[in-house]
Amino acid sequence: MSKVFSEYRLEKHEPKNWSKIAAVFIALISALSVSALLIYSSGANVAGALTALYRGSFGSKNAFLETLVQATPIIFTGLAMTIVFRGRVWNIGAEGQFFAGALATAWISMNLAHLPPILIIVLILLASMAAGGLWGFIPGYLKAKLGISEIIVTIMMNYIMQYILSYLLGGPLQADGDFFLQTPRFESSTYLPRFFNSRIHLGFLIALLLVGIINILLWKTSLGYEIRAVGDNPTAARYKGINIQKTIILVMVMSGAIAGLAGGTELAGLHHRLRMDISTGYGYTGIMIALLGRLNPIGVVPAAIFYGALVNGSTAMQINYNVPVALIYSIQGIMIVFLLMADALTKYRIRRIRDVQ
């Protein structure tokens, strides 16, 4: 007598809201459990360390505001990745575009500090966007006109920008008598305004404004429709009369401009002198934030705030309970991986097709 076997397959579907919430909750509990085991294995106080994780991120007004400070640059880079990924163009160069915007801001701050502060702020915003947009235009043009992989070009341009900065900060832009690779400290007239007697600055408000603008652009305008159409099905988009090459170049320029704005606001809002370490990988983190936000501009905000909370809370764990630095990075990665897994798993279900003998 022959045996009957059931045949199954993975099927993509649109999950319900309750299942999304449940998946996030389960992912966080699972990630915290794994993190607790790692903390225990290091000999640190598990309960105290996890309490410090919360207190360092949301436990007080100052902690919450500092979390928003940490979230600000990755809201920008997350938006930069969202808009370009919607067009199915793979920009891995936001780190270089970030520093292109920072370099333009440094030039403005070092040479035009005598201008009225409001004019300097406007120039900084425009210059950082222009520099980042130019750094995005190059790989976009090469992709659209010559078919050269934008992944390879954008990665290589990150290194090019890194070496350009290394040269400039060790020579033409280096502070006199300074042995560090950095510019002189900028004049206070070039600083972005800060709020609530904290480090949170105008860049955060600009980032939120940009969230609304990009959300309207993607979902309420013909340009947004064209970007999404190219991302969903380039062949069908071409038959509809959409200029594929133009769209590729445009989304790369827009993405680069937003990443450049991240660099400009981070430099003018917090650091006030250009160094190689003003970014802790914000350009690459933006890729992860865009995916956590499900390529939705509004979703980028809670994803970035969550990551900012992890950074601040992890620092508190290290300071107060001597959790090793390597373990701190592991916990951050575990949280993100579990959340990404939860998001992916909710999009698919196992469906029984038929019974076979």
Side-chain angles (χ1 to χ4, degrees), residues 140-157:
Y141 182 86
L142 293 176
K143 164 74 173 179
K145 299 297 184 180
L146 302 177
I148 299 174
S149 170
E150 74 277 23
I151 297 175
I152 296 175
V153 176
T154 50
I155 291 175
M156 291 299 101
M157 290 188 71

Side-chain angles (χ1 to χ4, degrees), residues 68-89:
L68 297 183
V69 171
Q70 296 291 340
T72 298
I74 53 178
I75 291 176
F76 280 112
T77 55
L79 291 173
M81 296 301 99
T82 295
I83 197 167
V84 77
F85 288 172
R86 276 289 176 183
R88 200 179 289 182
V89 183

Side-chain angles (χ1 to χ4, degrees), residues 116-283:
I118 185 65
L119 180 57
I120 293 176
I121 291 175
V122 172
L123 289 175
I124 283 173
L125 299 181
L126 293 177
S128 60
M129 291 179 66
L134 175 61
W135 214 245
F137 168 80
I138 297 171
Y141 182 86
L142 293 176
K143 164 74 173 179
K145 299 297 184 180
L146 302 177
I148 299 174
S149 170
E150 74 277 23
I151 297 175
I152 296 175
V153 176
T154 50
I155 291 175
M156 291 299 101
M157 290 188 71
N158 286 338
Y159 289 107
I160 292 172
M161 178 54 65
Q162 178 182 340
Y163 291 126
I164 290 174
L165 279 174
S166 181
Y167 163 72
L168 292 175
L169 295 179
L173 298 183
Q174 189 175 28
D176 293 336
D178 202 333
F179 295 101
F180 296 100
L181 298 181
Q182 61 185 13
T183 64
R185 182 167 291 276
F186 306 144
E187 297 289 337
S188 59
S189 60
T190 66
Y191 298 1
L192 294 184
R194 292 185 179 182
F195 308 103
F196 309 116
N197 196 28
S198 69
R199 298 204 311 154
I200 193 165
H201 54 84
L202 181 63
F204 178 72
L205 299 182
I206 294 174
L208 293 183
L209 177 63
L210 201 56
V211 168
I213 292 173
I214 294 177
N215 191 63
I216 293 172
L217 171 70
L218 284 177
W219 305 107
K220 302 294 183 180
T221 68
S222 58
L223 175 59
Y225 169 78
E226 292 177 1
I227 292 172
R228 290 184 288 112
V230 171
D232 291 338
N233 193 326
T235 303
R238 184 178 290 107
Y239 277 108
K240 290 179 180 179
I242 296 174
N243 188 326
I244 306 296
Q245 293 183 346
K246 178 183 175 182
T247 303
I248 289 173
I249 294 173
L250 188 57
V251 294
M252 280 298 296
V253 170
M254 293 170 67
S255 179
I258 297 169
L261 189 57
T265 54
E266 185 73 2
L267 183 60
L270 287 182
H271 301 282
H272 311 308
R273 70 187 334 165
L274 182 57
R275 302 192 305 266
M276 298 289 290
D277 62 352
I278 66 168
S279 170
T280 56
Y282 295 137

Side-chain angles (χ1 to χ4, degrees), residues 6-80:
S6 296
E7 188 174 297
Y8 299 90
R9 73 177 179 188
L10 280 176
E11 183 180 76
K12 192 170 184 179
H13 76 116
E14 182 60 34
K16 296 181 180 179
N17 289 333
W18 69 264
S19 65
K20 296 178 186 178
I21 296 172
V24 170
F25 180 76
I26 293 171
L28 289 176
I29 295 298
S30 302
L32 285 172
S33 300
V34 174
S35 300
L37 288 175
L38 291 176
I39 294 170
Y40 178 79
S41 68
S42 72
N45 184 317
V46 175
L50 292 180
T51 301
L53 179 66
Y54 167 75
R55 288 180 177 173
S57 53
F58 298 114
S60 67
K61 174 185 173 183
N62 289 336
F64 177 66
L65 290 175
E66 189 61 27
T67 291
L68 297 183
V69 171
Q70 296 291 340
T72 298
I74 53 178
I75 291 176
F76 280 112
T77 55
L79 291 173

